[in-house]
Amino acid sequence: MKDMNYYNTFIEVSEDCPAQTAEIPKSKNENKTIPVLQYEMIAGAPYQYTQEDILFEVFAQRNHIPEEQRQQEWEKFFSKGQPCLRTSSLGKRYGWGMHHNEQGKVALFAVESEEYKALKNDKSIKQVKAMRSSRG
């Protein structure tokens, strides 16, 4: 299994992100959506989780995978290609930039914040954009 984490990288919001200020994603019913789970995990513990941790934990919660099966399911989950956080609605729709530090741990930054602007202009870290929602 290859490492799919980002290191020293800032994921800017996508070019077609509709949010001018960051929004906290909300669930439409009692089931938490992927953006809600991702937001809660990252915002609740900045720089604690890697991209792999976040992708798998959201998958595990949504699929009700018991703790004792997590290691086996982790290997199965990552044996297939997985979309990275550049595809997350947090950067495509909700206005959150994601900074991955030197250990690959992630934190969120609101698009309107000074921290976001500083990270976006920091030439010492890799700069990428969240995927666009539409072609064009």
Side-chain angles (χ1 to χ4, degrees):
M1 183 180 89
K2 89 177 192 52
D3 180 347
M4 68 174 287
N5 293 315
Y6 285 104
Y7 299 92
N8 291 318
T9 302
F10 183 59
I11 302 175
E12 297 175 42
V13 299
S14 66
E15 294 170 357
D16 62 350
C17 178
Q20 298 300 307
T21 58
E23 302 170 22
I24 297 173
K26 296 185 178 21
S27 292
K28 293 166 182 49
N29 54 38
E30 72 278 352
N31 295 325
K32 291 183 178 182
T33 63
I34 291 172
V36 168
L37 292 169
Q38 289 176 341
Y39 176 83
E40 289 177 352
M41 196 170 173
I42 304 168
Y47 296 119
Q48 186 172 332
Y49 301 107
T50 65
Q51 172 173 263
E52 289 176 349
D53 296 334
I54 296 159
L55 295 174
F56 180 74
E57 184 58 32
V58 168
F59 168 79
Q61 285 184 34
R62 290 180 55 86
N63 290 283
H64 311 289
I65 296 172
E67 200 60 47
E68 61 275 5
Q69 293 176 12
R70 297 267 174 116
Q71 185 58 44
Q72 177 185 347
E73 291 297 322
W74 172 284
E75 291 166 21
K76 196 186 308 180
F77 180 75
F78 286 111
S79 69
K80 303 183 282 282
Q82 298 297 330
C84 70
L85 287 175
R86 289 183 60 206
T87 66
S88 171
S89 293
L90 295 176
K92 291 170 61 171
R93 156 76 187 85
Y94 293 102
W96 294 98
M98 290 175 251
H99 178 244
H100 301 248
N101 69 12
E102 19 337 290
Q103 289 88 38
K105 309 283 177 104
V106 185
L108 294 174
F109 294 90
V111 68
E112 73 276 10
S113 71
E114 290 304 315
E115 295 95 336
Y116 179 96
K117 291 177 185 95
L119 286 163
K120 181 179 175 178
N121 294 316
D122 186 343
K123 301 303 176 212
S124 70
I125 57 176
K126 184 176 179 183
Q127 303 286 326
V128 295
K129 289 189 185 301
M131 300 288 192
R132 294 171 55 92
S133 294
S134 58
R135 295 182 181 182

